[in-house]
Every structure is written in structure tokens, then in C-alpha cells.
Amino acid sequence: MATGAEQLYEEILRRNPGEPEFHQAAREVLESLGPVLAERPELVEARIVERICEPERQIIFRVPWQDDAGRVQVNRGFRVEYNSALGPYKGGLRFHPSVNLGIVKFLGFEQIFKNALTGLGIGGGKGGSDFDPRGRSDAEVMRFCQAFMTELHRHLGEHTDVPAGDIGVGGREIGYLFGQYRRITNRWEGGVLTGKGLGWGGSPVRTEATGYGNVLFTAEMLRARGEDLHGQQVVVSGSGNVALYSIEKALALGANVLTCSDSSGYVVDEKGIDLDLLKQVKEVERARVDVYAERRGSSARFVADGQVWDVPADVALPSATQNELDADAALTLVRNGVKAVSEGANMPTTPEAVRVFQEAGVAFGPGKAANAGGVATSALEMRQNAGREPLGFAQVEAELAGIMRDIHTTCAASAEHYGCPGDYVTGANLAGFNRVADAMLAQGLI
Ligand code: NDP
């Protein structure tokens, strides 16, 4: 790390205690910045890096609500409005018991650079709550969402801050959140949330976009090496939104997907994952992955301990949560001949594991670039809402494919320019950083 960056990192540790995920995300970006800061002293003088690391605004609030038994529950809500130099704050809401300020900050920080890479005029933000929707009735989820939005609404707006889904926040939650926003504000403001239902302002392909985009990015990385996805064995972790649609696109491109997982364990299916059955279990019944294995018959087995990374594969798509793929898992994948790893989830690969892949010459797609298809399609949804002109599935899918190709080209060109060809981590960090830094410099000291 460059000397100034090392000092800044020390300062970040001192001023943001107890936030290891944020420290990890900041360190990863700071480690890349040396070549840019050497090339552009004006950024050092304007203290752009220090300013980017500090959120523009952080909101923490109480969310009181009543469960089905009439008991009062109290959760904590967060929204970190990180950087709006390129456009309104944009980034999802996560509902999971592990959510705290450090996790929301890491996600918001990553989001700044990811959104910049899309080239679509969106700033970075993230939010959520330590509310756990698992095991809650629809009525409880609705009351929680209404209570959450009752406070959050005053900070949102289609030109201000535009949340979407993330872990624990899918179509059902977005519906309840939008309904409450509309009720409080008496405005039908479609562009205030993305991931809406198709009948009321949502965009085709938004549901599929993160998973589809990650697989398209993987295909681009393979293409740069003279290969494609056809016939490749793929391991996917998770069985939520990103995992399901990664599986769908990988199958469409002729790959064979062997695994999926959730926090209870993983499934390996020798015949390849049956996506219809998995969607029925996870999306319709909201059941666990062991139910998939039970119904699938002898080709599938549920493994309660262990990880999908133990299964030999050509391509690995971590699509569940942060730090789910560590150095030991990376060494196992490399020993088993993995060629490409691409992050559907945010920061699923530990820094040590990233180094293992890079040293082994594995094509590694960082989440900032590889999973940007979701937020890019959210920006298309905002455009559709602003123009009041619904878009068709094929049109959005074609735009998404073009955006993912462009992101790949941008990252590859940036890596090449800064002397590390094939290093998509550095390429993504520096290309995203430069776009945000240029806008901040032009807009003065704010
Ligand atoms: P979902 O809630 O739909 O699915 C999350 C999946 O990951 C579930 O299978 C869940 O299992 C598993 N999971 C979550 N936390 C853990 C954990 N601590 N340990 C093991 N498994 C876990 O979320 P998404 O698919 O939307 O998000 C997945 C990842 O992708 C996240 O990192 C998110 O930030 C990232 N992402 C999502 C985007 C989107 O458009 N949705 C956009 C860009 C990135 P269980 O049900 O057992 O908890």
C-alpha cells in the first residue's frame, strides 16, 4: 500500500472501530490506488480518497413493530448515503440478523465504485435492518416493512436516494415498502424504489439481472482466454435471488451446475441442478435446500457440513454472502482445476483467497464488476419510470448484456493501463475510482 494510503487506513481503523467488513472493503480499494495517485497528484491535493472513504450521511433509526402474537418488537434500521457525485444514492436494503453499521458501510462503499462502473449516473448507498424475515408470516413482514419505511421515507426520493433489494429483501418486501412510501407521501413516485412488480413500474429482467450479469461477466472473462461456458462444470453457493438466476443463465449457456446451498448446508446434484424444482422449493415454498435433495431422488445429496467449494468444478460463482470463500477453500478449488471465479455476492472471497486465485492464474471477477448487472438494470428501471414507457424483456436483456461487456472491457483496459493485465480487481477499483474522483473534483469541496 502507498505510504499515504497506509496512514489513511490507520485513520479509518481508529475512527471506525468494530467494523471489520468495512475495514476489509476499504483496505482492498486503498491497496489498488497507488498507481492512480502517482499519476494524478491533483487527487491527493483535493484529498479525494479521504473524502470518498467518509459517507456523506449515515442514518440509524428505531423500527418498532408488532408481531402476530401482539408482542412489541424493536429492530434497528440503517441507511448509509455514501456518495452522490455521480447521481442519487443507489443500493439495496438487507434484512438479516447480522446487519450492523459496519456491514452496511462495507456494502455502501463497494456500491460507489460498482455503480460508477455501470456508467449510468448513480451514486452509492446501502441500508437495511437486523430484522430476520425467516420464519415470519407475510403479515409480520408487512408490518415490519411499514414501520421501517415510516422513518426511512423522509430520506428517499427518485432524485435523492433509491433503495432496492438485497439479502432478505425481494419482491414481497419491495411491494410493502413501496406501498407504505406511497401512503405516507401521497405520491406515485415509481423511481423511488427498484425491483418493483412488473405490473406496477418494475423492469423486466431486474429479478434475473444480478445472476445473469455475473454469468455474462464470467463468459467475457473466459472469452478473453479463448474459452466459453459450454460444457463447463459450475459450482454455485446460495439459493436466493443471485444464485437462482446465476444457475438459470449458466444452464442457458450450456454449462452444468452441480451445487447450491443455504445457511443449513449444501446440495450436490450429480445430474445437474433441476432449476424448476429448486425454484419451487426456495421461491414458492420458502423451504430449505435439503427439501430439494429429498425430492430430487438419488442424484442429489444434502451435506450439512462442508462447502460447495469442496466439489471439483471449472467455474465457481459465490452467490450467498460476504467472506464465504476463504484461502483453504480457494486452494481446494485451485487443486481441483478451477479456471474462473466470479463474485455474484458482495465480497464473498476473503483477501487471502483472492491472492490464491490470482497467483494461480485463475480468472477472478470481483463483485464490484461482476454483480453490477443488478444495479445497472435498476438504473434502467428508473429510466423506464421517468419516461413512463415500459421496456420489453428482450430489450432490457440485450442492454444488460451490452453493459456487462462494457464493464468487462473497462476493467480489462484499466488493468492494462496500470500495468497489471488480467487483474480485474485492480482494473475495477481504479476505473470506478477515477470516474467518481473526476466528478468530485469538478463539483468542488462539498
Ligand atoms: P437472498 O436473500 O435472495 O439469498 C441469500 C442466499 O445466501 C440464501 O441462500 C441464504 O441462505 C444465503 N446466505 C445468506 N447469508 C448467509 C450466511 N451468513 N451463511 C450462509 N448462507 C447465507 O439474497 P441475494 O441473492 O439477493 O444476495 C446474495 C448476495 O448477492 C449478497 O452478498 C448480496 O449483497 C449480493 N448482491 C445482490 C444483488 C441483488 O440484486 N439481489 C445485487 C448485487 C449483489 P439462508 O436462506 O439460509 O440465509
Side-chain angles (χ1 to χ4, degrees):
M1 209 188 284
T3 323
E6 188 69 66
Q7 277 165 358
L8 175 56
Y9 182 64
E10 291 301 321
E11 193 65 4
I12 285 173
L13 291 180
R14 191 182 65 75
R15 296 180 70 216
N16 303 276
E19 298 178 357
E21 293 85 2
F22 173 55
H23 302 159
Q24 183 181 334
R27 183 171 184 101
E28 192 238 286
V29 170
L30 293 177
E31 277 176 345
S32 306
L33 290 183
V36 165
L37 300 181
E39 189 182 74
R40 304 189 61 189
E42 73 277 17
L43 301 183
V44 178
E45 197 181 326
R47 301 194 69 188
I48 292 291
V49 187
E50 287 84 340
R51 285 157 58 192
I52 278 188
C53 289
E54 188 67 21
E56 288 176 15
R57 192 171 300 105
Q58 307 182 57
I59 302 145
I60 304 180
F61 52 99
R62 181 175 65 200
V63 189
W65 59 283
Q66 216 164 17
D67 67 19
D68 286 346
R71 282 187 300 260
V72 172
Q73 302 280 342
V74 183
N75 285 97
R76 187 173 286 177
F78 302 89
R79 187 73 183 164
V80 173
E81 298 183 332
Y82 224 117
N83 192 299
S84 59
L86 291 177
Y89 308 106
K90 183 87 197 85
L93 298 171
R94 176 177 292 192
F95 292 169
H96 192 272
S98 64
V99 166
N100 57 37
L101 182 61
I103 287 188
V104 177
K105 275 166 70 177
F106 118 64
L107 290 164
F109 186 70
E110 295 260 307
Q111 197 83 45
I112 303 170
F113 307 102
K114 178 189 310 192
N115 293 3
L117 282 173
T118 69
L120 291 172
I122 36 181
K126 200 83 186 187
S129 173
D130 58 0
F131 170 71
D132 187 357
R134 264 197 307 169
R136 291 291 180 190
S137 68
D138 285 353
E140 287 178 317
V141 170
M142 181 179 75
R143 285 196 294 276
F144 174 80
C145 288
Q146 290 177 342
F148 184 83
M149 186 53 90
T150 299
E151 170 58 32
L152 188 65
H153 85 278
R154 65 187 92 250
H155 307 289
L156 305 185
E158 62 184 329
H159 302 295
T160 310
D161 186 350
V162 184
D166 191 80
I167 291 178
V169 179
R172 173 182 60 171
E173 290 75 15
I174 293 292
Y176 295 148
L177 291 163
F178 185 75
Q180 183 72 350
Y181 183 85
R182 190 168 62 73
R183 171 160 76 176
I184 294 173
T185 59
N186 193 28
R187 280 162 67 88
W188 206 102
E189 191 183 337
V192 75
L193 281 172
T194 57
K196 299 182 293 298
L198 289 182
W200 44 279
S203 170
V205 198
R206 176 60 192 92
T207 305
E208 296 85 352
T210 307
Y212 277 21
N214 187 31
V215 173
L216 293 170
F217 191 87
T218 308
E220 288 298 314
M221 290 198 300
L222 288 172
R223 201 160 66 87
R225 295 169 170 227
E227 293 206 52
D228 63 29
L229 268 165
H230 195 84
Q232 309 277 7
Q233 305 297 315
V234 178
V235 284
V236 172
S237 64
S239 52
N241 173 270
V242 178
L244 289 176
Y245 293 98
S246 297
I247 295 173
E248 186 161 290
K249 191 47 129 186
L251 294 176
L253 295 182
N256 185 35
V257 181
L258 297 165
T259 64
C260 64
S261 69
D262 61 24
S263 52
S264 67
Y266 77 89
V267 165
V268 55
D269 189 336
E270 280 158 22
K271 280 199 196 150
I273 294 288
D274 174 340
L275 186 62
D276 289 339
L277 175 59
L278 185 60
K279 280 187 178 174
Q280 170 65 27
V281 169
K282 295 301 297 194
E283 285 191 321
V284 180
E285 298 171 27
R286 295 184 188 269
R288 319 295 292 154
V289 288
D290 58 335
V291 174
Y292 169 92
E294 260 165 48
R295 295 215 195 130
R296 176 70 164 145
S298 59
S299 73
R301 122 186 107 79
F302 173 70
V303 184
D305 45 7
Q307 295 181 295
V308 299
W309 322 124
D310 299 335
V311 177
D314 304 303
V315 173
L317 304 177
S319 306
T321 194
Q322 63 273 2
N323 292 328
E324 54 165 318
L325 199 174
D326 64 12
D328 286 344
L331 286 166
T332 304
L333 282 165
V334 168
R335 255 197 315 274
N336 287 332
V338 76
K339 300 174 200 167
V341 178
S342 196
E343 296 186 317
N346 284 312
M347 209 169 73
T349 318
T350 66
E352 299 75 24
V354 175
R355 268 194 290 282
V356 169
F357 291 133
Q358 290 181 326
E359 279 163 22
V362 173
F364 178 78
K368 276 186 203 86
N371 70 36
V375 76
T377 308
S378 278
L380 302 182
E381 182 173 332
M382 290 161 73
R383 191 181 77 194
Q384 165 181 306
N385 297 142
R388 298 200 187 286
E389 201 178 344
L391 301 170
F393 193 96
Q395 185 187 351
V396 179
E397 199 180 18
E399 284 204 47
L400 171 64
I403 290 167
M404 295 316 297
R405 258 195 312 275
D406 288 350
I407 293 174
H408 177 271
T409 306
T410 301
C411 295
S414 156
E416 190 90 32
H417 174 81
Y418 289 108
C420 45
D423 176 351
Y424 294 101
V425 174
T426 306
N429 284 342
L430 297 190
F433 173 81
N434 270 326
R435 283 188 181 163
V436 183
D438 286 342
M440 289 176 72
L441 213 51
Q443 292 169 27
L445 183 52
I446 54 169

